[in-house]
Amino acid sequence: MNLSDPDGLAALIRRRRMVRRFTADPVPAAEVAALVDLGRYTPSAGFTQGTSFLLLSDAQVDAFWTVSAEPGASNPWLDGMRTAPWLILVWTSEQAYRQRYAEPDKSAPGRGWDGEEQPWSAPYWWVDAGMAVQNVVLAATASGLGACFFGIPPQRQDAVRERFGVPAQQLSVGVIALGRPGDDGPSGSGRRRERRAYADQVRLGQWENR
Ligand SMILES: Cc1cc2nc3c(=O)[nH]c(=O)nc-3n(C[C@H](O)[C@H](O)[C@H](O)COP(=O)(O)O)c2cc1C
């Protein structure tokens, strides 16, 4: 891969920005399905593939906002996000990882999950979901769409599960709002904060000189 190719992956990664307002143009279901399919081609611990997606459009999008936002609420962020023709609800399952790591190839001493505490440096069901989300968001950007990832407030998650028939073991990772990019002006932390300097964020060999 040529990292300087203006149409290549490096340029795509650098130009991706969260989009918080969308045009009224529809996005065909097949296009959304193709993007979400790429979200399935990500690494996952033990190849558990514990991330799941629930795709909402039209009246389902309205229903989502009804159960996840205060009645009558309006603010620039919410008004912008409500213009998204598609919402991709992303879910993960701790239980799926517990089951996977009880399988014979993963349950050898020191490798499996035999205690109460999950045995990894970080809960892998969340790690894997983040990888999946980024694939979808990058694929959306590559195909000229816009996307924004946001979380469902914890106190609203049961109502969302209830409305859309999501099993209780599914944990809400968040939502990818998707559509054709509208004019959202300067919005979001990414426009207010500087990117950290490379030398601050990346250390070579040792964190600090002693
Ligand atoms: C875990 C996570 C949660 C986020 N939650 C929100 C959110 O609730 N609302 C929002 O508008 N953007 C949200 N964002 C987007 C970030 O604000 C954005 O990625 C960041 O400001 C950098 O901007 P950029 O992605 O446009 O480069 C979230 C991003 C991540 C990774």
Side-chain angles (χ1 to χ4, degrees):
M1 182 180 70
N2 174 2
L3 291 181
S4 311
D5 179 355
D7 298 321
L9 180 62
L12 173 71
I13 290 171
R14 286 179 187 277
R15 85 164 188 272
R16 181 217 52 79
R17 288 291 173 279
M18 295 299 181
V19 168
R20 297 180 176 85
R21 182 172 289 277
F22 304 88
T23 70
D25 298 327
V27 178
E31 198 174 337
V32 178
L35 297 177
V36 174
D37 189 39
L38 293 171
R40 305 184 319 108
Y41 287 80
T42 47
S44 68
F47 205 31
T48 304
Q49 305 167 77
T51 310
S52 300
F53 306 89
L54 174 63
L55 314 184
L56 307 181
S57 65
D58 304 301
Q60 299 150 352
V61 167
D62 296 336
F64 171 85
W65 291 115
T66 300
V67 293
S68 66
E70 291 289 335
S74 173
N75 60 59
W77 182 86
L78 185 60
D79 298 348
M81 297 307 282
R82 291 184 88 128
T83 63
W86 286 92
L87 297 174
I88 302 168
L89 276 54
V90 184
W91 305 88
T92 190
S93 166
E94 174 178 343
Q95 194 180 86
Y97 288 76
R98 283 183 177 270
Q99 283 168 358
R100 170 66 186 112
Y101 277 78
E103 289 176 16
D105 64 322
K106 289 294 182 192
S107 55
R111 298 195 63 197
W113 184 351
D114 37 25
E116 272 302 301
E117 293 276 301
Q118 60 86 16
W120 306 307
S121 57
Y124 283 164
W125 50 98
W126 299 116
V127 175
D128 291 353
M131 298 204 184
V133 167
Q134 180 67 343
N135 262 26
V136 175
V137 170
L138 279 177
T141 308
S143 59
L145 295 174
C148 184
F149 179 82
F150 64 92
I152 303 174
Q155 69 275 20
R156 302 275 176 183
Q157 292 180 5
D158 281 346
V160 172
R161 271 196 206 89
E162 166 80 19
R163 172 61 184 77
F164 296 104
V166 180
Q169 66 148 108
Q170 292 295 328
L171 310 173
S172 176
V173 177
V175 180
I176 304 168
L178 186 76
R180 306 217 179 275
D183 179 14
D184 62 355
S187 68
S189 305
R191 318 278 170 96
R192 292 191 297 273
R193 285 167 62 89
E194 292 292 316
R195 188 170 300 282
R196 284 173 68 192
Y198 182 91
D200 180 49
Q201 205 165 1
V202 183
R203 313 289 164 120
L204 189 58
Q206 180 161 303
W207 193 282
E208 280 176 351
N209 291 321
R210 279 180 283 184

